[in-house]
């Protein structure tokens, strides 16, 4: 069970059953004792409690569960157990544990407090139009008593006024809180809310009218009382209460009780005054209540508009988010959720930063901690357009598409002619040079063959390194290879062309056709 049995004196814990494991059963059992107290029944047996639970809920726990609950409540101090000897007929019955239970003073106080708590939470509150009329009536009665000496009537009128005012303030506060919860309730039944809305708006409008009219009258009556007579009435009420004060053994107990009561009544009146009369910088509570009531009407209408939009199928933000949440819940994996997130909210990565496979591999090999300063972090490539213009993409209208067909045909024709010229120059060079020949024996070359010969000769000379007398190079298209060997008795070699005479140290040349097309063409020609 939830309580432990001990032989030492137990400390009373009358609220322990509220947070215990079987709190619902304990509250129902204590409810049976509260009902019995209203019916002037003092003691209850376990079977009486079980019958009450069955009558209230239609079913009741078994006898052992009820006995265990009563035992726990008795140990917490909510109940008192007395031996039940009224039905003892045998020795076995005498030794069997039988108890009569009744509520203790602590248990009764706890139930009273819990009842008040439940009532305060469950109270919806109301804007009491009748209370405004009663307050005005009591103020007129006080105005008629002003200047008199009837302490009892003054006390009764002020006490009635304070009571009605407390009810008005508490109920107004509870009503505005419940009204805000109603406005914020987006999951309410549409039809029920729409029907409730019409009555609620009529109720608010009628209260606002009464608050303006009756509140103005109440403010005028308060000003008249404060102009003369209010202090005397408060003195009469305080004096009337102090006469019934219990003596405490001193001679001035009545004066001290009068001073205490006078302060209490002055505080009440000050709060009453602030409720209906505004100050230079502080609006009255009635003004604030009227403002909140007026603001509640358009808020209600906005809620009605939202509900109508939902009924007609129009989308709103809350419906969109609920639908999006459903899509996230139905996503097959995390990658799909990430794609959905980017598509819904547009929160992409920094697209102006170029991150390719090599960058990712480098970061995997050498991770960069998040705490690394930007100045010390490895650089990231940035779009040149972004660096020049501050924009990743070019703004404005896109350029018109230009037809390049004629240019492409001209380029293709030019490439074909150049290929033919290159092939003819390669054949001419191979015809003149052959397999191995001295540079001075090349003789005269046509311009195309001489240009190809210069390219081969330049590549071979560039590949030649100090200390070596032979160099070798291959054309960029991979069709020819030239070998250049330095001669010991190098004289000056000359090659005559249409553009002039080429002179240089004599070398031994070896040009090789890597494609085999030259040999094939020579075989066909022969």
């Amino acid at each position: 069970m939830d309580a432990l049995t001990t032989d030492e004196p137990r400390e009373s814990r009358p609220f322990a059953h509220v947070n215990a494991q079987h709190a619902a059963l304990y509250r129902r059992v204590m409810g049976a004792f509260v009902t019995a107290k209203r019916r002037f029944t003092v003691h209850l047996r376990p079977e009486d409690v079980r019958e009450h639970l069955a009558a209230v809920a239609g079913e009741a726990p078994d006898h052992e569960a009820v006995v265990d609950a009563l035992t726990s409540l008795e140990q917490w101090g909510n109940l008192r157990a007395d031996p039940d000897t009224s039905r003892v007929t045998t020795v076995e019955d005498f030794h069997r544990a039988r108890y009569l239970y009744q509520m203790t003073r602590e248990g009764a106080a706890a139930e009273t407090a819990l009842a008040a708590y439940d009532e305060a939470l469950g109270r919806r509150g109301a804007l009491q139009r009748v209370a405004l009329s009663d307050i005005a009536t009591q103020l007129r009665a006080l105005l008629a008593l002003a200047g008199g000496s009837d302490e009892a009537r003054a006390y009764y009128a002020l006490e009635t006024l304070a009571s009605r005012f407390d009810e008005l303030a508490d109920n107004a506060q509870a009503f505005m809180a419940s009204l805000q919860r109603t406005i914020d309730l987006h999951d309410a039944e549409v039809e029920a809310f729409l029907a409730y809305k019409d009555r609620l708006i009529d109720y608010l409008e009628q209260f606002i009218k009464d608050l303006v009219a009756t509140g103005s009258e109440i403010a005028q009556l308060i000003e008249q009382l404060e102009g003369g007579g209010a202090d005397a009435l408060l003195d009469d009420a305080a004096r009337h209460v102090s006469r019934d004060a219990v003596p405490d053994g001193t001679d001035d107990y009545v004066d001290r009780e009068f001073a205490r009561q006078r302060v209490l009544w002055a505080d009440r009146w000050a709060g009453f005054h602030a409720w209906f009369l505004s100050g230079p910088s502080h609006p009255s509570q009635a003004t604030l209540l009227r403002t909140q009531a007026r603001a509640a009407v358009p808020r209600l209408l906005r809620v009605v508009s939202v509900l109508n939009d939902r009924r007609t199928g129009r989308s709103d933000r809350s419906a969109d988010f609920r639908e999006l949440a459903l899509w996230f819940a139905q996503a097959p994996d995390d990658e799909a959720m990430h794609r959905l997130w980017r598509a819904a909210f547009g929160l992409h990565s920094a697209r102006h930063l170029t991150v390719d496979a090599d960058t990712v591999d480098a970061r995997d090999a050498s991770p960069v901690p998040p705490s690394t300063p930007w100045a010390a972090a490895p650089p990231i490539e940035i779009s040149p357009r972004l660096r020049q213009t501050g924009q990743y993409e070019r703004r404005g209208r896109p350029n018109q598409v230009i037809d390049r067909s004629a240019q492409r045909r001209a380029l293709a024709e030019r490439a074909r002619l150049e290929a033919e010229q290159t092939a003819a120059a390669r054949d001419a060079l191979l015809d003149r040079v052959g397999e191995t020949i001295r540079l001075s024996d090349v003789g005269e070359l046509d311009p195309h063959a001489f240009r190809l010969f210069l390219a081969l000769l330049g590549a071979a000379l560039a590949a030649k390194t100090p200390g070596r007398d032979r160099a070798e190079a291959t054309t960029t298209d991979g069709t020819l290879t030239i070998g250049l060997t330095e001669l010991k008795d190098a004289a000056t070699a000359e090659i005559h062309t249409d553009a002039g005479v080429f002179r240089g140290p004599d070398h031994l040349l070896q040009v090789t056709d890597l494609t085999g097309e030259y040999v094939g063409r020579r075989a066909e020609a022969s």
Side-chain angles (χ1 to χ4, degrees):
M1 290 300 295
D2 300 291
L4 298 177
T5 304
T6 178
D7 295 334
E8 298 179 358
R10 294 187 300 269
E11 180 183 359
S12 179
R13 296 187 297 141
F15 291 99
H17 68 289
V18 177
N19 296 321
Q21 181 179 1
H22 303 289
L25 176 59
Y26 296 141
R27 292 295 304 276
R28 292 169 57 195
V29 170
M30 291 303 297
F33 283 91
V34 172
T35 303
K37 183 179 179 181
R38 286 200 303 266
R39 298 173 181 175
F40 308 105
T41 302
V42 179
H43 296 90
L44 290 179
R45 295 184 176 88
E47 51 268 25
D48 299 332
V49 175
R50 190 168 182 274
E51 290 177 2
H52 173 83
L53 297 180
V56 172
E59 58 179 359
D62 55 26
H63 183 78
E64 296 298 330
V66 173
V67 171
D68 291 340
L70 291 171
T71 302
S72 297
L73 290 169
E74 186 268 335
Q75 292 175 354
W76 284 322
N78 298 78
L79 301 176
R80 192 186 75 188
D82 299 321
D84 183 11
T85 59
S86 60
R87 295 183 297 176
V88 175
T89 57
T90 63
V91 176
E92 289 77 6
D93 291 339
F94 182 80
H95 290 289
R96 185 181 297 118
R98 295 176 180 271
Y99 294 100
L100 292 172
Y101 295 91
Q102 72 177 66
M103 269 201 307
T104 61
R105 183 175 57 181
E106 293 82 358
E111 289 305 310
T112 302
L114 291 173
Y117 178 78
D118 292 338
E119 181 182 359
L121 288 184
R123 183 175 58 189
R124 296 180 57 189
L127 299 177
Q128 297 174 314
R129 296 158 50 193
V130 178
L132 292 172
S133 301
D134 293 343
I135 290 174
T137 301
Q138 294 301 322
L139 287 175
R140 286 192 291 269
L142 287 172
L143 191 60
L145 292 173
S149 59
D150 195 338
E151 296 178 358
R153 294 183 61 186
Y155 168 76
Y156 176 76
L158 284 171
E159 184 67 27
T160 304
L161 175 65
S163 176
R164 294 298 287 159
F165 173 67
D166 288 340
E167 292 178 3
L168 172 65
D170 291 343
N171 282 279
Q173 181 180 5
F175 177 81
M176 295 309 298
S178 63
L179 177 62
Q180 186 60 44
R181 290 193 297 270
T182 301
I183 294 175
D184 295 338
L185 187 60
H186 297 290
D187 296 331
E189 293 292 337
V190 177
E191 300 297 338
F193 182 83
L194 294 179
Y196 170 69
K197 174 264 305 179
D198 295 331
R199 296 194 299 269
L200 181 59
I201 292 179
D202 294 340
Y203 181 76
L204 289 173
E205 291 178 347
Q206 189 61 41
F207 176 78
I208 292 172
K209 293 179 182 178
D210 291 346
L211 185 59
V212 172
T214 311
S216 177
E217 180 185 1
I218 291 174
Q220 293 177 1
L221 291 172
I222 293 175
E223 291 178 342
Q224 293 177 11
L225 283 169
E226 291 181 345
D231 291 338
L233 291 172
L234 296 178
D235 291 340
D236 291 341
R239 192 175 298 109
H240 180 78
V241 176
S242 62
R243 293 184 187 280
D244 293 334
V246 178
D248 60 357
T250 60
D251 295 335
D252 60 343
Y253 70 92
V254 175
D255 295 336
R256 286 189 291 104
E257 181 64 20
F258 170 77
R260 191 179 70 85
Q261 291 293 330
R262 184 62 175 80
V263 172
L264 292 177
W265 280 109
D267 290 341
R268 287 182 175 181
W269 186 263
F272 184 69
H273 173 98
W275 222 88
F276 289 98
L277 292 175
S278 300
S281 59
H282 299 284
S284 65
Q285 293 297 317
T287 302
L288 295 177
L289 179 61
R290 185 168 64 249
T291 302
Q292 292 180 0
R294 285 175 175 173
V297 175
R299 291 203 302 269
L300 278 170
L301 296 178
R302 283 196 294 269
V303 173
V304 172
S305 176
V306 172
L307 293 176
N308 285 331
D309 290 344
R310 292 180 183 176
R311 289 199 304 173
T312 56
R314 292 178 57 184
S315 177
D316 60 358
R317 183 176 300 177
S318 60
D320 293 341
F321 278 126
R322 285 195 297 269
E323 185 67 21
L324 184 60
L326 181 61
W327 291 352
F328 274 106
Q330 294 175 349
D333 50 29
D334 291 344
E335 185 177 356
M337 292 182 184
H338 286 298
R339 291 199 303 269
L340 179 60
W341 172 269
R342 290 192 296 269
F345 299 101
L347 298 180
H348 300 275
S349 59
R351 287 171 288 180
H352 64 276
L353 300 179
T354 303
V355 178
D356 52 14
D358 295 337
T359 306
V360 175
D361 294 340
R363 287 298 174 87
D364 291 339
S366 301
V368 179
S371 59
T372 304
W374 282 102
I380 295 293
E381 296 181 3
I382 298 179
S383 169
R385 183 182 296 276
L386 176 68
R387 185 172 181 178
Q388 294 174 0
T389 65
Q391 300 293 332
Y392 178 68
E393 295 182 354
R394 180 179 177 182
R395 293 188 175 183
R397 297 178 57 186
N399 295 331
Q400 295 182 354
V401 178
I402 301 176
D403 187 5
R404 305 286 184 182
S405 301
Q407 288 84 346
R408 286 196 296 271
R409 287 194 298 271
L411 291 175
E413 181 65 19
R414 181 178 177 180
R416 185 185 63 79
L417 292 176
E418 289 180 353
E420 291 178 356
Q421 292 175 358
T422 302
R426 186 168 55 248
D427 290 346
L429 181 62
L430 290 173
D431 288 339
R432 183 61 58 90
V433 175
E435 289 295 329
T436 303
I437 190 173
R438 292 173 68 96
L439 183 59
S440 55
D441 297 335
V442 172
E444 188 174 351
L445 292 174
D446 63 74
H448 299 292
F450 182 72
R451 191 179 302 112
L452 177 61
F453 175 76
L454 284 181
L456 285 170
L457 188 61
L461 291 175
K464 187 177 180 181
T465 59
R468 296 182 58 186
D469 57 355
R470 179 173 175 79
E472 193 172 39
T474 304
T475 57
T476 56
D477 58 356
T479 58
L480 294 175
T481 299
I482 182 172
L484 189 65
T485 305
E486 187 178 349
L487 298 176
K488 300 296 182 179
D489 53 343
T492 300
E494 294 183 354
I495 300 176
H496 295 271
T497 67
D498 294 339
V501 179
F502 174 81
R503 295 183 178 90
D506 200 4
H507 286 74
L508 187 64
L509 298 177
Q510 183 179 7
V511 180
T512 305
D513 179 22
L514 299 179
T515 62
E517 296 177 357
Y518 175 78
V519 178
R521 285 194 296 271
R522 288 303 178 193
E524 292 176 0
S526 61

